[in-house]
Structures are given as structure tokens and as C-alpha cells.
Amino acid sequence: MRIDVLGAVRALHDDGSPVDLGGPRHREVLARLVAAEGRMVTTDTFVHDLWADPPARAVGALRTFVAALRRALEPDRPPRNPPRIIVTEGPGYALCLPREDVDVHRFQDTLARARRNAAVVNDLGTVLAAWRGPAYADVTGSAWAQRERTRLEELRLEGVELRARILLGSGEGADLVAGLGAHVDEHPWREPAWELLARALYRAGRQADALAALRRARSMLVDQLGLDPGAGLQRLETDMLNGSACLEGARTAWTGPGVRLGPRTTVDVARTLALAGGDALVRSRRDRFAAVRAAERTGDLSLTARIIGAYDVPAVWSRADDPEQSRAVVAAAERTLTGLGLDGPADLRARLLATIAVESRSADLSATELKRAQQAARQAEELARDLADPALLVFALNGVFLQSFGSPGLAVARDRTGAEILDLATRHELPNFAVLGRLVRLQSASALGDLESAASHAIAADQLAATAEAPLVSVLTRWFRARAMAARSTEPGGPTAASAAAHYRAAEGALRAAGMPGLHRGLFPLALLGLRLLHDRPAPTDPHLDWGPYRPWTEPLVLLAQGRGEQARAALAAVPESPRDHMQEAMWCLTARAAVRLGERGIAAHAAAVLRGAGAEHAGAASGMLTLGPVARYLAEAEACARAG
């Protein structure tokens, strides 16, 4: 089964033959389910979206449309067997098809991958070519469809321009001229389109035509809108007139002792790549470390400090993606800091200290290393405040945030840090750190169980990420929405636990492709365990689940679910102290739950003592990505166990 909505709404069987969907209302019901992207659409929403003035029997008519669609989409389904494509879910319906079987979902997913990884540019060309016309073209007169058409058209234009940008960046481009010429004719107010056309003409050896295109863009903007061209178009025209080497893709790079820190150095490129995620993130780490080592070989301490401190990429997770490299960067920063001495430039010292704080977030830090990292965070913040440098201060506050997991129950303090990051970044136009501030506040609100505030931060983060070109953000906010659904699955009338699990699974698929190895391993099984605990069910026992770094804390409960009590007791005795990170409350709650189930009063008492300061928070929810439920529940059980006997 395949469903297409990029054009008129249609459904096709596996052999390519069309499905008779029925009349316009039937197609609109199917289209509205596609637009929900697997989420449930309530009956009330359907009635509101399908009729401006709903008739008295609107709900009955909707059920008739759904029944007819089910027969059309699953003609061979035996009687009394539940439908598999349009399913009833709570007070509404949901479409259950793999995303690759729906053209609009396939397009959006490919575009998201292309933002992260230029290597999928051919796939992007394929999905762009599959557009048959405006999205939901035959769903007319519906406000929801018009909103979706507008949104998807903007994404299509972005895709056209992203594909051109990638191809131009890889040395191609002469054959893009015709397509980009048509693109600017159709959308003459899109300055990025004019810039791409001019670059393609220049690449084709048509410098005069490239300059003429820029002058045409200028004329249209000035004469018809009264606006000057943006900085990008102006800079491109200057570069063309001056024959700048950057038009041929040249970049300043590290080549040895004679290197210089130019406007587009390796570390600057690495910082840009890091924000893209995926394979680009791996390349970013490699290029960043190569730049640091090359800088150290020059023997120039100030230059080395600038290179190390220039990688001020916002970091929201308390585990490093590459712990070994993080330790190497910290060591280089400490060597450089020692060389500069206390009399060294305050701004360089602050950046080095902030780098130490940000990079020192591995789970295996010794007590001495942890103390040094926390001191570095405080010193960087003090220096940055004295210098009154907002960009430096938000970087230092990023280190403060990452070093604020010293004990359970500090969500309120982290929220204050996130609020200051957001305020500084907003006032001083630092979009990447504005995204960080939103995510920190999302995590803090999630930890405190304030899902309404967390949801508003998620929406704002997604909006900021769209303009800051930070595709990893949507991966994190998708996890938050799955976490919120899991919490609501315990409420009367809420989604089913199975629906919450499906959303976790979908979020896991996006995370695996995002290039964040310090984050994804073990997260999905832990989310499923949390969901089961919310519903008072035993731990999942699927042997294929990869518990990753969380195995020591989850294993006692898994063994108990398998009926292996003595092995569970031995595993509980071997459980280490929880690392001081986003998941520490969750790990302590798992320890408490296992101790209670096994009657281990001493371990229960210890877990209760550690958790006492986190009684107002939700276990695991500081991640913003999953929840085990209120800490207070586990704390009360552990305290009761400790008092027993």
C-alpha cells in the first residue's frame, strides 16, 4: 500500500493499481490522517476540519467515511479482524503505515537527512521530482489543508535550494542554471534563490550573466519593495567583481606551523558541521581535533587558545559523544591555560575554562576531575561576567549547565541557567544558544512534571531551529513528545501504552540517524522500561534490547521479570553509584525499586537518602526524553522498605 498527497490524494496497491477511495470527503479524511503523521486525530478535530457548519449527524457521517476507507484500503481483511491501516485510537483515528510508504513523509524525512548529510543529495532530487503538484491539491476549501499546503511548499522550496547549494558546494552547478532560472522566475522574492542562480552562472563561466542576475535581483527589491539586497547578495556581488577565490570553494585550512586563523578556518567549518549532526558531526570532531593539534605544533599559546575556544558549539547532553577525544581536548586546554598563566588574556582564559567545563562531561570522571571541571565552569562564568561579553558568557553558562548534575534534584537551578542563556542569546542575536536555552528549559520543566511549559519550549525550540539550521533539535523535541505521551498514557482517556511505545520507537529511529552516539545507546529500552513501570508492569525481557550504559541499573529488574531472583539479588549488590548526569534520578529510582522488590533494606535506605532532594521531580525526565514517573513514588517505597522489620 502506498499513499500520495503531493498532488491529488491517491492510494496505490503494491502492484501500482489505484485504490478507489470514494468521494471528496473520503479523500479528505485520508488526507487529514496523513497530515497527522501517525498521531491520533480526534473525532472533534475531524468534524471541525471537515465542516465549517457541522451537520447534526456529522460524527455518524465521519464513521461512514472511515468504514468505507477501511474497506477500500484493506479489501481482503477477514470479518471481525481489527483494521491495520486506519486504526481506532482513543477518541479518534490514526493512520498506521511506514513513513516510506507515504510520499509526503518520505519527502520530509529525506529533506531532514539532507540537512545533516550532503551525501543523500541524489535521494533529495528523487523526492523533489516526485511532486505532482501542490500538496493535497484536490482538498479545496479546507483551512487545515491550506495550512499544510503552505507549510509543505515552503519545505519544497527549501529542498530545491538545499539541493542546489549542496551540488554547488561539491563542484557541480553548471547544469543547475536552467532549473534555478525557472525557480527565481516563479519565486522572485527569495534572495537565496538569486544567490544560487548567480553562483551557478558563475560556475558555468558566465560571469557577466551572474552579475546581471544579481543586478536584476537588486532592481526588483529596490524598485518594487523599497528594500536593499541582504548581506549575502551584496557580499557575493563584491566577491564576483573582485574575482574572490572563495567563489571556487577555496578555504583557509591548517597546513602546518605557518597556519593562520582566517574567517573560514577548519575549526570554523567544524563548528558549522557539528550543528548539522549525522556524519557531519563525526567529521566535525575529527577536523576540530586536527586543528587543535596543528595549533599546538605552532608553539603559539594565544593562537592555540583561540582555536580551542572557537569551538563553542552548544551542548545539551551530559555524556560526551566521543569521551576519548573530549579528554584529549581537555588536556590540550589545560596545557594551554597553564602556559598562558594567570596573567594571560582574560577572554582566552575564559574560553579555555569554558571548554574544559563543556568537554568534561564523560560518565567516568574521577572525583578530582569532576571537581576541577566544576571549578572551571565557575571561573569561566566569573571572567565572562567581568568582561561583559554576552557570547562568551553564554558559552560559559553552557559549561555551568553541564556541570550542574552534582546531585539529584537540581532542575530548578538548571532552569535558572537555561533562562539566562535564553535571555542573553535572544537579546544579542545568538540563535544557536537561544535553541540551547529552550532545550535546557524544556528539560527542566519536564523534570518538574510541567508538561505544558515543556511543550511550549519544544515548539519554540523547533521554530528557532528552523532558522538556525539545527536539525538535531527536532530529534530531541520528538523524544519529548513521546515522553509526554507516555505520561498521559496513565490518565483516564489518555493514549494507550502501545501508542506511547510506538512513538518512542519512531523517535529512536530518528535519533539513530542523528549521529549522537553519546546519547542514543540504551535510551529506547530505558524508555520502554519507564513506560512499563508507569503501568506497574515488569521490565521488558527481549534479549535483543541493547541497554547500553544503563545495563547495571536495569539488570536487576530484568532478572526479576525473568523470575531469576537470586541472580537479581547478585546484580543489585554489584550496582555502582549512578553517574552524575541527566539520568541519575532514573538510575537511583531503578535501584530503589529493585531493592524494594528484593527486600534489601540497606540498599533501599541508601537510595532513599540520595533521592530525598529530588522528591519533587520525575525520574529520567531531566533528559526531556523519557520518564519513569514521579521520584516521590520510588522514594516512598524505599523509605517504607528501609523502615520495615
Side-chain angles (χ1 to χ4, degrees), residues 3-212:
I3 294 176
D4 295 340
V5 298
L6 299 180
V9 178
R10 68 183 185 183
L12 303 172
H13 293 296
D14 286 345
D15 61 3
S17 61
V19 176
D20 183 2
L21 296 175
R25 287 296 193 200
H26 297 79
R27 292 196 299 276
E28 184 172 359
V29 169
L30 181 60
R32 184 63 185 85
L33 288 167
V34 168
E37 298 196 41
R39 296 184 297 273
M40 181 263 291
V41 182
T42 67
T43 299
D44 288 347
T45 299
F46 263 124
V47 169
H48 177 269
D49 286 346
L50 264 64
W51 291 280
D53 184 15
R57 298 181 58 81
V59 173
L62 171 63
R63 289 172 178 159
T64 300
F65 299 149
V66 170
L69 282 170
R70 284 170 167 169
R71 288 193 298 272
L73 295 173
E74 296 182 74
D76 299 326
R77 177 167 55 89
R80 292 183 295 279
N81 277 30
R84 293 178 295 108
I85 295 179
I86 299 179
V87 301
T88 301
E89 188 174 288
Y93 304 97
L95 182 69
C96 290
L97 274 181
R99 289 182 65 82
E100 61 268 21
D101 292 342
V102 182
D103 64 348
V104 65
H105 301 160
R106 190 164 59 250
F107 163 71
Q108 291 181 99
D109 292 349
T110 304
L111 177 59
R113 288 198 304 274
R115 290 177 184 138
R116 300 191 298 266
N117 181 4
V120 301
V121 65
N122 290 335
D123 293 341
L124 180 58
T126 299
V127 295
L128 284 168
W131 280 66
R132 297 170 292 111
Y136 307 103
D138 51 346
V139 182
T140 58
S142 294
W144 74 265
Q146 184 55 50
R147 288 194 298 271
E148 277 296 287
R149 268 193 293 274
T150 302
R151 181 182 72 85
L152 290 168
E153 176 63 11
E154 184 62 30
L155 290 179
R156 186 186 71 83
L157 298 178
E158 179 192 341
V160 169
E161 291 165 8
L162 176 60
R163 175 177 176 270
R165 191 175 300 115
I166 292 171
L167 292 174
L168 285 167
S170 66
E172 301 180 32
D175 57 347
L176 295 172
V177 170
L180 287 171
H183 183 58
V184 298
D185 286 344
E186 188 177 357
H187 307 283
W189 311 119
R190 293 180 71 87
E191 289 190 51
W194 286 104
E195 181 178 343
L196 290 165
L197 174 60
R199 288 184 181 276
L201 287 163
Y202 192 95
R203 183 65 55 80
R206 298 165 58 182
Q207 183 176 0
D209 289 337
L211 288 168

Side-chain angles (χ1 to χ4, degrees), residues 526-547:
L526 187 61
L528 289 185
L529 172 57
L531 186 59
R532 284 174 169 264
L533 292 174
L534 287 173
H535 291 270
D536 293 314
R537 296 178 61 194
T541 57
D542 184 347
H544 298 102
L545 290 175
D546 176 12
W547 293 97

